[in-house]
Amino acid sequence: MPAPNYRELVRSYLDLRWQLDPVAATAAGIGTHDHRLGRFSRPDIKAAVAALKAMAGAFEEAVVESLSDEVDQTAVLNEIRVWIARLEKERPHELNPEFHLGHLMNSWYMLLVRQDQSLEHRGRALAARLADTPRFLDDARATLLRPSPVFTDTAIRVARGGIQMLREAVPAFAALLPTATRNELLEALEPARKALDDFLAFLTGELAERSDGDFAIGREALDFRLHFEHSLRETAPEIERYGQALMAQTERELELAAQALSPGSHWREVAERLRRDHPVRDALVSHYASAMKAAHEFVVTRRLVSVPEGALDVVGTPEWMVPLIPFAAYDPPGAFAQTQRGLFYVTVPGARSDGDPHCEHEIACTALHEGYPGHHLQFLVAHRQASPVRRVVSSPITVEGWALYCEELMAEQGFLASAEERFFQRVHLLWRALRIVLDVQLHTSAISFEGAVSKMVETLGLPRASAESEVRRYCGWPGYQLCYAVGRRELLKLREDRKARDGSAFDLRAFHDEVLTYGGLPVALIRWGMGFEG
């Protein structure tokens, strides 16, 4: 029997990907699945795992003719392996109610904000997803077993946010639709609201009573993710030691920076004082827009990386979206969307806000991290690649690692003009270093939820509510948070290795351009593609 055709397999895999996760298809700019929700009952998950195993077997037998395709083939195989392990061993469909709610909330949110399809298409698709919501939540209720109390409490908060979305954002969106589509949407809205209200009652009652599970996935599962999801050779303890060392180094740098800014003050005191410097609220959106423009111009002028076309619009968050975006959010273009236009929403603090989270001295870092040369630029390049794998298969080790690497790069190159901006760049690095330690400790049961929250408060001086929100995310996304600083390290090492190999011929822009052609594939696979063995 002839070996499977690799390129046909890639197409088949993407079809399966969208079939199993239609919300991911919406995010990618593919409208054919916009009316659907995923199916995550036990029989559905069993069928999904069988399909993924068959797909993995086919990819293992496929013959590729180039190193580039071999790199992509490895990335796909690793993604499938992680997906199978997650469904079979971590079992979020049974042990984390937020797994279901996150899919559901994103299914609505994507249609509310994404403009890849016509308004009427989005309205009809949202109506269909709302109509399917009662069935979806019934399946979730029947599938969930004994979650961690952290997961159930997080899901309660998410469900309340979803109820607010249905009460405020969806009706505001419906008002923009043609009459027939609006009526279709509003007809589906009430049953969806009731289903979500009932699910919240289930979360706070029956499920809360039996929520005695553990959020930690364990050392073995975390090591599996490090190896297959992020292509790292290190084990969890080695990664944790790196995080501890980076924390110590960064805190020393912060103390020196604080003494230069305010002699005799601890760096946390300096940070607290500087965070009281807020931009004028009426000029907040234009302030972010100016910072994005300045970062773009700096990258072009310094020839740090090639900048493809693709607008990044900085806009005030519409009133109906404020419940979804309390601070700010970047919405990238879809991988296969015809129009490559990103949006950066800025929420101006108003009567419903608890304070002003926007700090004058942190805006430049946010602009370069989210815009240029960070996430937006990275997505624009990835979405232009001929390889569909490099458009959609990714690891946060590269996606988040690249954006944090860009903070370092732009500081090196002089974009962060003030001492205060450079100070906060190191504060952000300390935050990411602490994430490494907590990510590993939480998922190897070396620290409790409360212990992690206290560690964040003690180390960064965060308000306790903010620290709790952070740690909830770490519990639900094992192996993700460590990727920012570890990815930065991997990219810096790759740059140094490339410099050593190229000598006087090394060109920083050419290096960055080549890295970005791999999209979000793990840095180790980029090294392989560039001709480095390890």
Side-chain angles (χ1 to χ4, degrees):
M1 176 179 282
N5 180 281
Y6 167 72
R7 299 193 186 283
E8 289 181 4
L9 269 182
V10 169
R11 286 192 288 272
S12 296
Y13 173 62
L14 291 180
D15 287 344
L16 176 62
R17 209 175 191 258
W18 312 141
Q19 185 65 32
L20 298 179
D21 189 352
V23 178
T26 301
I30 296 168
T32 51
H33 296 269
D34 285 350
H35 61 292
R36 297 178 48 244
L37 294 172
R39 295 189 174 271
F40 305 126
S41 68
R42 286 190 193 85
D44 290 318
I45 292 295
K46 184 176 180 181
V49 168
L52 289 167
K53 286 181 176 179
M55 187 64 68
F59 268 102
E60 286 168 352
E61 295 177 8
V63 176
V64 295
E65 298 178 355
S66 68
L67 175 60
S68 178
D69 281 349
E70 192 172 0
V71 167
D72 291 4
Q73 178 188 36
T74 302
V76 172
L77 264 170
N78 285 348
E79 179 174 82
I80 296 172
R81 289 163 178 153
V82 171
W83 202 347
I84 292 169
R86 189 170 179 233
L87 295 177
E88 282 194 322
K89 297 181 179 179
E90 296 178 24
R91 297 179 293 127
H93 56 292
E94 293 184 340
L95 301 176
N96 189 350
E98 204 273 328
F99 171 85
H100 300 273
L101 286 172
H103 181 86
L104 187 62
M105 305 295 116
N106 280 328
S107 81
W108 304 337
Y109 173 81
M110 286 291 176
L111 293 172
L112 291 173
V113 302
R114 281 294 176 89
Q115 299 179 26
D116 303 331
Q117 308 294 334
S118 71
L119 184 64
E120 184 165 358
H121 169 94
R122 290 157 54 210
R124 291 189 181 281
L126 181 55
R129 282 179 171 172
L130 289 171
D132 197 28
T133 292
R135 187 277 314 164
F136 181 87
L137 291 174
D138 283 346
D139 282 353
R141 190 185 324 218
T143 303
L144 288 162
L145 297 175
R146 308 182 78 89
S148 159
V150 173
F151 287 165
T152 300
D153 192 41
T154 300
I156 289 168
R157 296 164 188 262
V158 172
R160 287 174 177 155
I163 288 169
Q164 188 176 11
M165 193 190 310
L166 293 181
R167 285 178 180 165
E168 299 183 26
V170 173
F173 174 76
L176 306 173
L177 298 170
T179 302
T181 309
R182 180 170 65 248
N183 291 341
E184 183 181 348
L185 178 58
L186 294 176
E187 184 179 348
L189 181 57
E190 279 308 314
R193 279 178 179 167
K194 183 179 185 308
L196 190 53
D197 285 340
D198 291 346
F199 193 74
L200 176 58
F202 162 73
L203 292 173
T204 57
E206 179 185 337
L207 193 66
E209 290 177 4
R210 66 171 189 255
S211 292
D212 56 5
D214 191 356
F215 59 76
I217 62 172
R219 163 73 187 277
E220 182 180 351
L222 185 57
D223 282 346
F224 181 92
R225 278 184 173 246
L226 292 176
H227 181 68
F228 286 103
E229 187 173 9
H230 311 315
S231 297
L232 293 169
R233 293 182 175 180
E234 295 152 293
T235 59
E238 294 169 303
I239 291 291
E240 183 186 350
R241 285 195 292 273
Y242 169 68
Q244 297 279 16
L246 183 59
M247 282 183 65
Q249 174 191 330
T250 308
E251 286 197 274
R252 288 192 295 269
E253 293 173 352
L254 279 170
E255 285 298 343
L256 291 173
Q259 293 313 302
L261 287 166
S262 181
S265 299
H266 189 273
W267 74 263
R268 274 178 46 183
E269 296 172 349
V270 176
E272 184 178 351
R273 174 174 57 79
L274 291 176
R275 280 192 168 127
R276 299 189 195 116
D277 297 339
H278 305 298
V280 176
R281 291 190 178 189
D282 289 347
L284 183 61
V285 175
S286 62
H287 198 128
Y288 273 96
S290 295
M292 294 281 187
K293 181 180 179 182
H296 179 278
E297 291 176 351
F298 188 91
V299 169
V300 172
T301 302
R302 295 296 183 95
R303 293 179 53 80
L304 297 180
V305 59
S306 300
V307 181
E309 291 184 9
L312 175 57
D313 295 340
V314 182
V315 298
T317 306
E319 183 64 27
W320 62 271
M321 282 176 59
V322 170
L324 312 180
I325 303 173
F327 169 61
Y330 168 63
D331 183 34
F336 298 98
Q338 201 166 22
T339 301
Q340 290 294 296
R341 174 176 175 260
L343 287 170
F344 186 75
Y345 294 102
V346 179
T347 300
V348 179
R352 292 195 294 178
S353 63
D354 297 327
D356 189 342
H358 301 277
C359 170
E360 179 85 26
H361 311 295
E362 296 180 89
I363 288 177
C365 247
T366 300
L368 71 90
H369 183 105
E370 302 292 350
Y372 302 93
H375 286 316
H376 184 62
L377 175 62
Q378 184 182 37
F379 284 126
L380 289 180
V381 177
H383 297 171
R384 281 163 170 74
Q385 299 310 304
S387 164
V389 172
R390 297 186 186 187
R391 293 189 183 198
V392 297
V393 175
S394 67
S395 162
I397 202 78
T398 300
V399 175
E400 301 297 357
W402 169 261
L404 188 58
Y405 164 83
C406 288
E407 292 184 29
E408 190 81 15
L409 171 71
M410 294 287 270
E412 292 171 352
Q413 296 291 323
F415 176 71
L416 302 179
S418 71
E420 290 83 359
E421 287 175 340
R422 294 190 294 274
F423 171 79
F424 275 112
Q425 189 263 327
R426 297 329 265 180
V427 172
H428 296 166
L429 181 58
L430 177 63
W431 170 33
R432 274 52 172 264
L434 176 59
R435 281 178 165 183
I436 298 175
V437 176
L438 294 183
D439 197 350
V440 173
Q441 289 184 349
L442 283 164
H443 288 288
T444 56
S445 301
I447 196 170
S448 67
F449 175 86
E450 286 299 329
V453 171
S454 296
K455 183 70 173 175
M456 291 208 79
V457 172
E458 293 162 8
T459 303
L460 300 175
L462 291 180
R464 194 162 192 88
S466 298
E468 287 179 353
S469 180
E470 282 278 312
V471 175
R472 287 178 195 285
R473 191 164 68 251
Y474 303 176
C475 293
W477 294 92
Y480 190 102
Q481 303 303 325
L482 61 84
C483 287
Y484 292 75
V486 175
R488 163 189 171 272
R489 179 198 67 178
E490 295 296 292
L491 286 164
L492 286 170
K493 185 177 187 303
L494 178 58
R495 186 175 76 182
E496 290 308 306
D497 289 346
R498 183 64 174 263
K499 275 185 181 179
R501 189 175 76 181
D502 293 357
S504 60
F506 175 78
D507 181 272
L508 185 62
R509 177 177 178 173
F511 168 73
H512 290 149
D513 286 351
E514 186 171 356
V515 166
L516 291 178
T517 63
Y518 289 86
L521 300 191
V523 181
L525 297 188
I526 300 175
R527 292 183 65 87
W528 180 23
M530 286 186 173
F532 295 99
E533 292 185 2

